[in-house]
Amino acid sequence: MRREDSELPQAPKNDRPHDRYRCGLPCGGPGESRNCPLGPTSSGACRREGTLCNPVLSASRRQRRRTLGLMSVGIMVMIVGFSVWDRDFAKPGELSTPHAQILTGQLSTTSCAACHPQAESSLANWFQSGHADSAALVQTDRCLDCHHNRLPRDKARLAHNQTRDALRELRDQNNRVTNVTWQHWLNSPAIEQDDIACATCHREHGGASASLTSLSDAQCQTCHSQQFSSFAVDHPPWNQWPYRASESIAFDHASHAQRHFPAKRDQQGNASAFDCAACHTKTATGNFARSSSYEQSCGDCHDRALNQQTSERLDLLVLPSLIDPSARIAARWPRAATGFYDGKVGSLARWLLGADNKVNDALAQLPGGGNFGLINPNNATDRDAAETVAKAIFDLMESMSTAGPMATAEKYRPGDLAIKQLLQFLSPQLIEYSTSSWLNNSIDRQSNRIRPIGGGTPFRTAAARTQDDDLLLEDDGSRVDELSPSASTTQDVLKQPLTRGNSNRRRASRFDPLTMLGSGGWYVDDSRMAISYRGNGHADPVLKSAIELAAGLAIDDPIRRELLETGSTSACIQCHQMAITPGPVQWNQSAAAKTDWFTKFEHSPHLNLPVLADCTHCHQVRVVDSMDNAAASMQTVSFAPGASPSHDFEQLQRHTCAACHTANAAGDACVKCHRYHTGGDSAPSRP
Amino acid sequence: MDAVQHQTLRWSLRNRRIGAIVATLLVGLLWVAGAYWVRITLGHPAIYSGATLMTCLVGLMLIGLRRRVPILPLWSVSTWVQIHLYTAVFACVAFVAHVPSIVANGKFEFGLSCLFLVVAASGFYGLFISRTGPKRLTALSTQPRYDQISWHRNQLAIAAHGAVNQLPETADRQVLQAYFDRSLQPYFDSPLSKRYLLLPTSARRHQLLAELAEHDRYLDPNVMAASKRLSALVRHRDDLDYQNAIQFRLRSWVVVHGAMSSVLFVWSIVHAGVALRMLGG
């Protein structure tokens, strides 16, 4: 018998499958044949009379209940998960390695809130926009809490950390465009240039291996509307790169390579080779040093000339000659400096005295920048000014004599570091000597006699001693040892007769610093009644201080000009031209190339190519045809105030780099050579 | 004529499928292009893909709404199912593009990604079971409603008892009665076993039918007829159990897929809120 042949009853037609309940009685079990035609009510009550059943949920309701049960379990799991919150509960992705090392270590207890101000305190604060602790904070602020050393807060959100004007200026410099062109009217960048969040480019939670700093060319061109297809084809030409980088030493490669080195012969008579590596030595990191030391590279040839140049005196002060000193200073003003107007107030003294407005006005009144020799004796105004300045010089010497040079410098120019550095090697005893010999031993108008220079003081100059003391005379025991401590006390200088007059002073052999002060230093020039300094070749600290002092003055200040035109200081500035440019004084060449601007470059990977090991493959010194042109070339290397830094190299051509830097070779991505963050430094001026 | 109609219908289905695949690919390409554009313009690709995923989830949930509101003059449920399928495939691609790893690390995101995977897996299982299950069900002689299967099972038990009880008291009836009491009555009276529910098999049916056949040589024609009827009832019962198991699978899949989808939707909304709140700025 086939199953199709067996007859089975049809299912009841009076059931309602979508009802909430169905009959709870078994539907016709063995021995039963029933089928409740009524069914339960919608509330689950039995409609039958007599024996009641317990209605049960219908299949559809059971399915719905199971669905709701599962949903409830899932949502409860989520809620329970939030209630057992911990630092790893919400983590959309692993942090990059540098951040993970900090934020997942023991040092950090803030977890998400270290970067997300909204995640502070409790979970509820995540959804409060006005939470007191984080209302004013954005994520970028949190980034800068750690990265403020490299990015100033005020410029961190600016594109390239530069103001819009600075970027526009830079763009115009690059493009040689000064007028507004159609490119300026192209669609504006996709993001606001003055409010770029760190997370715009640096996307976290990408995993340990994800780079936070990678940036594609297309992303660069989001803001850069001028489109580049490749480096080799349409990268803008370089103006002066890489030579526009800041240089501290004005070194003329052309004249050295083409004139000086060929002219220098060794013992065999061979011309010296101009070897780049002699100065640009390899550093520990494999790059090239910007320069080597003076002693190593320059001293051999330049020491002699530099010593000669720096030996020219630098006057601190000069006692001027007056026709008739006023009553206040007349008693002590040296007779040798009396009778006519003469002498010029030194630039350093003028700067010191200029701190007093009255004296400053008087100095301005004097003709020739404090030149007493140009004063018209018949001009009462000039005479008054001369008198004022003379008194000021008198007071300056008195102050230096009594309080010492450093205290005097602080008194006249409080807080100025350069003048203190300049005077730090000036011995107070030298001032005391000059004061006592010039001022204290002045004219005795009754006797018309003066005290011998240096008499009674242990700091007499050798020149004075040779004139005053006849070394050939026998020592009769009446001479006092001038170096003995009792010399100044045993000899009452005021009671000594004047043994010399002006004629004696003129006859005195002038102190010769070239021969007697070979290693440089402060000295007293009695014949000029001047306190001067003799420099000592390279890196003389006093000359450096004098230049730094001058660099701090206004460009048009005559004192600055005089200081810098002094032979000794001008010898320094010939190479250290950046020392007098505006801004912090920069004496030394930086060890490595500056890397905090848009362009980055490392020599070391390039040197793996033998052809690039020859520096001149890329850096070709400009050829100078003749000696005159060589001299002209030297003039091109100039950092004079107001002038743009220049160089003496041929312009580096793009195709030199593009030979290797293609997409399929060494790479030509923007970030290969350019950096986004400039650290807020201002753009270097361009030639 | 029927052949032509059948051919037309086949081509129609094929064209519809090809059209849907092409449309899905086109949308996918447009979406990838959009993702690239967002990335190169320094936008937020995660927001882009996340918004896409959320939109997909909303679209996928709408099929439930459509089923519950059949009165709306929208497309047929069949069309909605097709839209649902291709949207789900597209959502899987968007999910892969959205997450840094298929199974996330954070507990919250781990739960979310597991939910998505469960829903996606149940969806693909549904794609399979919704195509194989109905074929298997319609291959049987009867297609009872799921909620009436127990009624039918009781009716089979009643019929089996009746087939034995109405036999005259003969010696061979005792043989059949003894076997019925020992093997068939527990089979007809017992509900469907969980083992069969999960893994339906015809082993017991074959065993019972074989045992019944072995008794045939001892039975006279009247009792033999009862024995054949019992054999038919055994086949009915087995078909009924098979229907029960397959329908249970279909219904359980709907329960799991629907419930998990709802949880996924709620979980995703919370995730989106947290993500937008924590967005860097």
Side-chain angles (χ1 to χ4, degrees):
Chain A
M1 183 180 185
R2 298 182 304 172
R3 76 188 118 182
E4 290 79 6
D5 297 334
S6 64
E7 293 180 3
L8 289 175
Q10 291 295 314
K13 302 294 185 186
N14 58 354
D15 67 332
R16 290 169 287 277
H18 294 293
D19 279 359
R20 182 172 297 177
Y21 292 96
R22 67 172 176 84
C23 182
L25 289 175
C27 299
E32 295 183 9
S33 179
R34 322 166 265 92
N35 181 20
C36 179
L38 302 174
T41 64
S42 61
S43 60
C46 183
R47 296 176 194 269
R48 284 163 45 121
E49 294 178 357
T51 306
L52 299 178
C53 73
N54 290 322
V56 295
L57 280 173
S58 64
S60 62
R61 288 291 165 172
R62 284 203 307 272
Q63 182 171 340
R64 185 177 297 180
R65 182 165 287 190
R66 289 191 192 107
T67 304
L68 290 174
L70 269 175
M71 287 173 57
S72 303
V73 168
I75 293 172
M76 283 301 294
V77 167
M78 183 178 69
I79 294 172
V80 170
F82 271 112
S83 65
V84 291
W85 176 269
D86 63 11
R87 59 190 301 165
D88 288 333
F89 184 76
K91 189 193 287 182
E94 291 292 347
L95 293 173
S96 61
T97 302
H99 287 161
Q101 288 173 345
I102 299 170
L103 295 177
T104 59
Q106 298 297 320
L107 291 177
S108 174
T109 57
T110 50
S111 192
C112 301
C115 299
H116 300 280
Q118 302 89 342
E120 280 185 334
S121 305
S122 67
L123 181 62
N125 292 330
W126 280 40
F127 304 99
Q128 293 177 8
S129 59
H131 184 245
D133 294 339
S134 59
L137 285 176
V138 291
Q139 194 170 318
T140 298
D141 296 322
R142 288 295 166 87
C143 300
L144 293 172
D145 285 347
C146 295
H147 296 280
H148 62 275
N149 286 334
R150 297 187 62 187
L151 289 174
R153 284 185 184 273
D154 57 334
K155 292 184 177 178
R157 300 180 76 101
L158 302 179
H160 293 292
N161 311 125
Q162 298 293 325
T163 62
R164 198 180 285 263
D165 291 339
L167 290 176
R168 184 178 296 117
E169 183 182 351
L170 187 67
R171 181 188 62 188
D172 293 342
Q173 282 179 350
N174 272 325
N175 294 338
R176 299 293 187 192
V177 173
T178 54
N179 299 321
V180 174
T181 67
W182 62 271
Q183 288 182 340
H184 292 72
W185 299 101
L186 286 177
N187 57 321
S188 57
I191 48 181
E192 178 58 47
Q193 297 295 285
D194 296 335
D195 189 20
I196 302 176
C198 299
T200 303
C201 301
H202 306 295
R203 298 285 163 77
E204 252 300 356
H205 298 293
S209 59
S211 171
L212 284 179
T213 56
S214 64
L215 206 62
S216 67
D217 292 355
Q219 286 172 322
C220 293
Q221 303 228 238
T222 298
C223 301
H224 292 267
S225 54
Q226 186 178 355
Q227 301 293 303
F228 305 133
S229 59
S230 70
F231 167 71
V233 174
D234 49 12
H235 188 282
W238 301 312
N239 294 330
Q240 298 297 330
W241 187 85
Y243 307 113
R244 68 178 174 78
S246 171
E247 300 279 355
S248 300
I249 308 297
F251 180 77
D252 185 356
H253 291 81
S255 63
H256 282 81
Q258 296 159 30
R259 191 173 61 165
H260 303 311
F261 273 76
K264 185 182 175 185
R265 303 284 169 174
D266 59 15
Q267 292 179 343
Q268 285 75 33
N270 300 322
S272 301
F274 184 71
D275 182 13
C276 306
C279 296
H280 302 289
T281 54
K282 264 194 174 180
T283 63
T285 58
N287 280 317
F288 287 110
R290 299 284 282 171
S291 67
S292 58
S293 66
Y294 168 86
E295 291 76 12
Q296 184 179 347
S297 301
C298 316
D300 284 351
C301 300
H302 289 278
D303 256 348
R304 197 168 173 182
L306 189 61
N307 283 336
Q308 181 73 25
Q309 288 174 297
T310 55
S311 66
E312 187 171 327
R313 71 169 182 267
L314 175 69
D315 290 335
L316 173 63
L317 61 84
V318 180
L319 210 60
S321 179
L322 304 174
I323 288 180
D324 185 16
S326 66
R328 182 181 157 220
I329 60 174
R332 297 173 63 190
W333 200 259
R335 186 180 176 189
T338 307
F340 55 92
Y341 285 122
D342 196 11
K344 184 177 181 191
V345 184
S347 49
L348 286 173
R350 280 165 58 204
W351 182 74
L352 276 171
L353 299 174
D356 186 328
N357 290 334
K358 184 181 174 186
V359 179
N360 196 35
D361 293 342
L363 282 167
Q365 180 66 35
L366 292 179
N371 192 341
F372 278 64
L374 300 178
I375 290 177
N376 180 5
N378 299 321
N379 187 330
T381 309
D382 283 3
R383 287 203 309 274
D384 290 344
E387 191 69 24
T388 302
V389 173
K391 286 177 185 173
I393 293 174
F394 182 87
D395 292 341
L396 177 64
M397 290 195 66
E398 282 284 298
S399 176
M400 284 193 171
S401 175
T402 54
M406 300 299 281
T408 303
E410 181 63 25
K411 174 184 171 186
Y412 278 77
R413 293 285 181 179
D416 192 283
L417 188 61
I419 189 64
K420 286 182 179 174
Q421 290 175 337
L422 192 145
L423 296 178
Q424 64 180 333
F425 299 111
L426 176 57
S427 167
Q429 291 163 315
L430 199 68
I431 305 294
E432 182 193 359
Y433 159 72
S434 57
T435 306
S436 62
S437 62
W438 299 342
L439 300 180
N440 289 342
N441 306 318
S442 62
I443 302 167
D444 183 348
R445 291 188 183 276
Q446 279 72 35
S447 61
N448 199 24
R449 299 170 73 186
I450 62 172
R451 175 184 174 274
I453 293 175
T457 174
F459 295 102
R460 296 173 61 197
T461 64
R465 194 160 54 237
T466 54
Q467 287 300 314
D468 296 341
D469 304 334
D470 188 351
L471 298 177
L472 296 177
L473 291 176
E474 291 183 1
D475 188 355
D476 57 3
S478 62
R479 295 170 65 88
V480 177
D481 183 3
E482 294 171 351
L483 295 177
S484 69
S486 61
S488 59
T489 55
T490 54
Q491 292 183 344
D492 185 353
V493 295
L494 296 177
K495 293 177 181 177
Q496 285 189 353
L498 295 173
T499 57
R500 283 187 314 171
N502 290 341
S503 56
N504 287 341
R505 174 180 287 271
R506 290 189 198 96
R507 283 198 307 271
S509 169
R510 186 170 177 171
F511 177 81
D512 183 11
L514 290 178
T515 57
M516 305 187 69
L517 204 59
S519 57
W522 289 100
Y523 64 94
V524 173
D525 187 346
D526 282 320
S527 62
R528 294 173 52 242
M529 292 192 177
I531 298 174
S532 304
Y533 181 80
R534 180 204 187 279
N536 181 30
H538 186 256
D540 187 278
V542 173
L543 295 181
K544 278 179 68 177
S545 302
I547 292 170
E548 289 174 6
L549 191 150
L553 301 178
I555 296 288
D556 55 350
D557 193 326
I559 296 177
R560 171 193 167 102
R561 193 182 65 249
E562 283 180 30
L563 271 175
L564 298 180
E565 285 177 352
T566 305
S568 52
T569 53
S570 65
C572 306
I573 298 166
Q574 192 172 358
C575 294
H576 293 284
Q577 294 182 1
M578 285 297 284
I580 57 171
T581 54
V585 176
Q586 189 176 350
W587 286 103
N588 297 323
Q589 184 73 284
S590 55
K594 288 189 75 174
T595 57
D596 56 350
W597 191 238
F598 281 127
T599 308
K600 57 185 178 181
F601 181 83
E602 283 191 24
H603 278 96
S604 52
H606 293 82
L607 299 179
N608 292 330
L609 285 177
V611 66
L612 296 184
D614 177 13
C615 305
T616 59
H617 182 84
C618 298
H619 306 290
Q620 295 174 354
V621 177
R622 194 173 295 147
V623 176
V624 180
D625 297 334
S626 65
M627 299 292 275
D628 293 339
N629 288 341
S633 171
M634 290 182 68
Q635 299 301 319
T636 65
V637 185
S638 171
F639 295 128
S644 300
S646 57
H647 61 85
D648 47 4
F649 285 92
E650 297 290 353
Q651 183 176 338
L652 187 59
Q653 297 297 320
R654 184 178 62 201
H655 63 74
T656 307
C657 303
C660 295
H661 284 279
T662 61
N664 297 324
D668 64 349
C670 301
V671 292
K672 191 84 177 173
C673 300
H674 294 294
R675 63 180 75 245
Y676 175 84
H677 289 293
T678 62
D681 290 353
S682 57
S685 58
R686 292 181 173 235
Chain B
M1 187 65 184
D2 289 344
V4 172
Q5 279 184 343
H6 183 66
Q7 187 73 11
T8 306
L9 184 63
R10 268 186 57 199
W11 278 109
S12 173
L13 286 173
R14 180 179 295 177
N15 289 340
R16 191 171 69 174
R17 180 164 295 169
I18 291 173
I21 291 173
V22 169
T24 305
L25 286 175
L26 280 177
V27 171
L29 284 175
L30 283 175
W31 185 82
V32 169
Y36 176 73
W37 181 81
V38 168
R39 193 172 64 82
I40 65 170
T41 54
L42 296 172
H44 283 277
I47 297 296
Y48 176 77
S49 57
T52 306
L53 263 178
M54 186 57 77
T55 307
C56 288
L57 282 180
V58 172
L60 292 168
M61 298 289 286
L62 284 179
I63 193 173
L65 184 68
R66 176 65 184 84
R67 275 194 326 117
R68 285 166 178 77
V69 191
I71 197 170
L72 288 178
L74 298 174
W75 301 304
S76 66
V77 172
S78 171
T79 305
W80 274 96
V81 168
Q82 293 300 311
I83 294 173
H84 185 87
L85 290 177
Y86 289 103
T87 305
V89 172
F90 177 73
C92 290
V93 177
F95 173 78
V96 172
H98 179 68
V99 296
S101 59
I102 298 297
V103 179
N105 301 99
K107 293 171 186 168
F108 180 80
E109 286 78 13
F110 173 79
L112 186 60
S113 56
C114 285
L115 264 178
F116 186 91
L117 293 176
V118 166
V119 172
S122 68
F124 283 111
Y125 176 73
L127 190 64
F128 167 75
I129 195 70
S130 63
R131 272 144 182 76
T132 58
K135 285 181 184 174
R136 294 157 77 176
L137 292 175
T138 53
L140 301 176
S141 59
T142 56
Q143 293 92 37
R145 248 171 42 200
Y146 182 73
D147 59 311
Q148 291 179 337
I149 286 177
S150 60
W151 184 89
H152 284 291
R153 192 177 289 127
N154 280 330
Q155 293 304 311
L156 287 178
I158 292 169
H161 279 280
V164 175
N165 291 337
Q166 64 188 353
L167 290 174
E169 289 294 335
T170 58
D172 49 355
R173 180 204 187 254
Q174 297 300 322
V175 174
L176 186 62
Q177 180 74 50
Y179 175 71
F180 179 82
D181 293 342
R182 187 175 65 250
S183 298
L184 293 180
Q185 187 177 351
Y187 176 64
F188 283 112
D189 290 348
S190 64
L192 180 65
S193 70
K194 290 184 173 57
R195 180 181 172 186
Y196 191 95
L197 194 65
L198 296 175
L199 195 64
T201 171
S202 299
R204 192 172 185 187
R205 182 184 69 169
H206 291 151
Q207 179 191 351
L208 292 173
L209 290 176
E211 288 172 357
L212 271 174
E214 285 180 1
H215 288 83
D216 286 351
R217 54 183 169 174
Y218 307 112
L219 306 179
D220 62 15
N222 286 337
V223 180
M224 176 79 76
S227 175
K228 295 299 180 188
R229 178 166 175 72
L230 285 175
S231 298
L233 291 174
V234 167
R235 293 189 189 95
H236 268 297
R237 169 64 193 252
D238 188 65
D239 289 349
L240 207 58
D241 289 347
Y242 190 71
Q243 283 275 356
N244 194 349
I246 299 301
Q247 288 196 35
F248 176 78
R249 282 186 188 181
L250 285 167
R251 287 172 176 273
S252 299
W253 159 68
V254 170
V255 167
V256 171
H257 188 69
M260 291 295 105
S261 297
S262 301
V263 176
L264 172 67
F265 187 63
V266 174
W267 207 306
S268 300
I269 288 173
V270 177
H271 168 74
V274 172
L276 290 175
R277 180 69 177 145
M278 297 297 138
L279 194 62

